[in-house]
């Protein structure tokens, strides 16, 4: 599966939403954070290569703003609005090839109650 520059990395299933704070759209790869507050996010992706790029980068984006960028990582997010849209995007600068396995990418989100 090839993902063009700027496109979201797909997740084919939601294993556990842990309540109603997070909604998942499998068609767009968007995760919608319904509740303002603090979230811990952890991700990784299996990237198989690129016809051009030798270094790969993914970016965790919230409402289009880059929070962090690397193939795997974690971040603490403070969301101040409802309906915050989060995606994990290819920001390599070129298309990338994702391994053709069932678990191409995973992302965990935990809502932190204070």
């Amino acid at each position: 599966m090839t993902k063009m520059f700027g496109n979201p990395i797909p997740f084919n299933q939601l294993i556990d939403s842990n309540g109603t704070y997070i909604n998942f759209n499998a068609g767009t790869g968007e995760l919608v954070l319904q509740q303002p507050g603090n979230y811990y996010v952890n991700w990784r992706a299996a990237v198989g290569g690129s016809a051009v790029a030798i270094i790969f980068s993914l970016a965790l984006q919230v409402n289009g703003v880059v929070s962090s960028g690397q193939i795997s990582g974690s971040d603490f997010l403070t969301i101040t609005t409802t309906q915050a849209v989060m995606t994990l995007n290819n920001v390599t600068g070129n298309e990338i090839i994702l391994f053709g396995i069932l678990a191409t990418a995973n992302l965990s989100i935990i809502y932190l109650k204070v």
Side-chain angles (χ1 to χ4, degrees):
M1 170 186 302
T2 301
K3 293 311 291 178
M4 299 301 289
F5 172 67
N7 285 356
I9 303 300
F11 301 98
N12 63 348
Q13 65 179 334
L14 178 63
I15 294 172
D16 183 9
S17 67
N18 196 19
T20 58
Y21 296 137
I22 304 164
N23 290 329
F24 172 61
N25 183 327
T28 64
E30 294 178 342
L31 295 124
V32 180
L33 308 176
Q34 301 288 343
Q35 178 83 14
N38 298 307
Y39 293 81
Y40 173 72
V41 182
N42 185 299
W43 70 92
R44 95 175 158 73
V47 177
S50 171
V52 180
I54 57 173
I55 298 174
F56 311 107
S57 186
L58 304 177
L60 184 64
Q61 296 183 335
V62 178
N63 294 332
V65 177
V66 173
S67 170
S68 188
Q70 61 254 7
I71 292 294
S72 65
S74 58
D75 203 355
F76 286 99
L77 303 174
T78 298
I79 304 300
T80 59
T81 63
T82 58
Q83 303 286 320
V85 176
M86 185 176 68
T87 56
L88 185 63
N89 290 7
N90 169 20
V91 294
T92 300
N94 299 89
E95 67 180 30
I96 59 173
I97 301 165
L98 300 175
F99 282 122
I101 55 178
L102 181 60
T104 298
N106 72 27
L107 184 136
S108 303
I109 305 170
I110 301 169
Y111 178 72
L112 305 170
K113 294 183 180 182
V114 287

